[in-house]
Amino acid sequence: MRKLASSSLAMLPSPEMAAAAAAAGGLATALRGWWEEVNAAPAWQDGAFFSLSAAYALVSAVALVQLIRIQVRVPEFGWTTQKVFHLMNFIVNGLRAIVFGFHAHVFLFQTKVYTLVLLDLPGLLFFSTYTLLVLFWAEIYHQSKNLPTDKLRIVYMSVNGVIYVIQVCIWIYLGTNDNPLLEPVSKIFISVVSLLAILGFLIYGGRLFFMLRRLPFESNLKGRRKKLYEVGTVTSICFTCFLIRCIVVSVFDSSWHAHIYF
């Protein structure tokens, strides 16, 4: 009984532990209150949205400059995958900059489907842009292994075509029939699209990374390190972005989706 009583007393929180727990609880309450205050303040919201609009506009301008530089340097190659990637990067980031810049008007449409189109379209274009990068890497990998590359573009166009057709059908259905049962279907669809991008980056980003690591040491060591860093970094960032998007779309409610789709 004495041992049981002493062990029960040892399990009771000490004054220091109680003070630390109270401080942590007070900090969490303060942070929650700060976030609710910031989230409800129009000035903070405008500042955040306009900052994001400026950032996306800058990225869009950089993509346009890169496109022009490549076109001036090698105009004889026509519209290569790299040029199309920079063009799509310019379009998707420019569209995001416009939507963020006019965020106050996005939710004022009387027809809800117009708002959904503006929110969904940048995400779809983002998918098409960065799966185009996967296509570029897949072409490099197949060429290095003497594998055929003619079907890769067909697969890319087919996958993107099916995704856009499904999304357009969802928009049309929502425009004619506001069915709440379609919301979970839309969530699943966005999650599947993100998973497809994740698989693409894992398969071809990983293959290209390990292929570069296995190059002989007699090759250009500095150039190999640069390409290894580039492929590894881009693969990790894009994998993380699409994974977070997939999880957040699946977990959070529809009030968050307007921010997720960007």
Side-chain angles (χ1 to χ4, degrees):
M1 292 293 290
R2 289 177 182 176
K3 292 181 179 180
L4 182 61
S6 61
S7 62
S8 300
L9 290 173
M11 293 175 61
L12 292 175
S14 64
E16 291 80 5
M17 292 177 60
L27 179 61
T29 303
L31 288 175
R32 191 182 302 112
W34 174 83
W35 170 249
E36 291 176 353
E37 181 181 352
V38 168
N39 195 37
W44 280 93
Q45 291 183 4
D46 290 342
F49 280 120
F50 289 138
S51 298
L52 288 169
S53 177
Y56 278 118
L58 178 61
V59 175
S60 179
V62 170
L64 181 61
V65 170
Q66 284 292 98
L67 174 63
I68 294 172
R69 287 181 60 189
I70 297 172
Q71 181 63 26
V72 171
R73 189 169 66 247
V74 284
E76 64 274 8
F77 287 108
W79 283 98
T80 61
T81 305
Q82 189 178 18
K83 291 180 182 178
V84 175
F85 172 76
H86 287 298
L87 175 63
M88 293 181 67
N89 230 347
F90 163 71
I91 294 173
V92 66
N93 286 288
L95 181 59
R96 283 173 164 173
I98 292 172
V99 173
F100 273 121
F102 293 93
H103 65 277
H105 305 279
V106 171
F107 296 97
L108 296 181
F109 292 108
Q110 293 183 355
T111 305
K112 183 181 177 181
V113 69
Y114 296 152
T115 300
L116 293 176
V117 170
L118 287 175
L119 297 178
D120 292 343
L121 188 58
L124 292 176
L125 292 176
F126 182 77
F127 170 83
S128 299
T129 302
Y130 283 90
T131 49
L132 185 65
L133 179 60
V134 173
L135 171 64
F136 180 62
W137 288 349
E139 289 176 340
I140 294 175
Y141 178 80
H142 279 239
Q143 288 170 0
S144 67
K145 299 293 184 180
N146 294 321
L147 298 173
T149 60
D150 52 338
K151 294 183 179 180
L152 292 175
R153 296 198 176 197
I154 297 175
V155 172
Y156 168 80
M157 294 176 66
S158 300
V159 170
N160 278 270
V162 170
I163 288 172
Y164 279 89
V165 167
I166 294 175
Q167 184 63 71
V168 169
C169 291
I170 292 174
W171 288 338
I172 293 174
Y173 187 84
L174 286 175
T176 57
N177 185 6
D178 191 9
N179 190 344
L181 295 178
L182 195 62
E183 183 177 345
V185 175
S186 181
K187 288 183 182 181
I188 295 172
F189 175 68
I190 296 297
S191 298
V192 170
V193 169
S194 300
L195 283 175
L196 288 175
I198 289 170
L199 289 175
F201 277 103
L202 282 180
I203 293 171
Y204 284 105
R207 284 180 176 180
L208 189 60
F209 181 82
F210 288 110
M211 185 189 74
L212 291 171
R213 287 191 63 181
R214 289 193 296 265
L215 286 177
F217 288 100
E218 293 80 11
S219 60
N220 186 351
L221 185 59
K222 184 178 179 180
R224 185 178 67 170
R225 286 179 177 175
K226 182 180 178 181
K227 287 298 179 182
L228 270 173
Y229 177 78
E230 176 185 321
V231 173
T233 303
V234 174
T235 300
S236 301
I237 292 173
C238 292
F239 170 82
T240 303
C241 289
F242 281 105
L243 180 62
I244 291 174
R245 187 178 183 220
C246 178
I247 294 173
V248 173
V249 169
S250 303
V251 172
F252 289 97
D253 58 27
S254 58
S255 63
W256 287 76
H257 292 171
H259 306 286
I260 296 165
Y261 289 152
F262 293 113

